[in-house]
Amino acid sequence: MVWAVVACFVYFVYGPVVAVVLGGLFAVSFVVGFGLRRRAGHSVRCSIYGAVGGVLDKSIAGF
């Protein structure tokens, strides 16, 4: 939800290219977090929850 609001704001203020870059950054962060958790032996569900939590944690730390 947080990323969706930020992406919408960026889209209207700066344009669609910046919103796509922001979405790509989210996707890369999610995939990396998911992959690291799977390599550590976590379940798929745990990896998904952990990847989402990790992305939100890092994005809110930036604010």
Side-chain angles (χ1 to χ4, degrees):
M1 186 76 168
V2 172
W3 277 82
V5 170
V6 171
C8 288
F9 176 75
V10 168
Y11 176 80
F12 286 116
V13 173
Y14 297 109
V17 174
V18 179
V20 168
V21 170
L22 184 65
L25 180 65
F26 170 78
V28 167
S29 298
F30 177 81
V31 169
V32 168
F34 180 81
L36 289 173
R37 284 169 179 79
R38 286 297 293 159
R39 285 180 51 92
H42 293 276
S43 68
V44 173
R45 185 174 69 179
C46 179
S47 297
I48 291 172
Y49 290 160
V52 170
V55 168
L56 291 176
D57 178 46
K58 300 301 180 225
S59 65
I60 291 175
F63 291 123

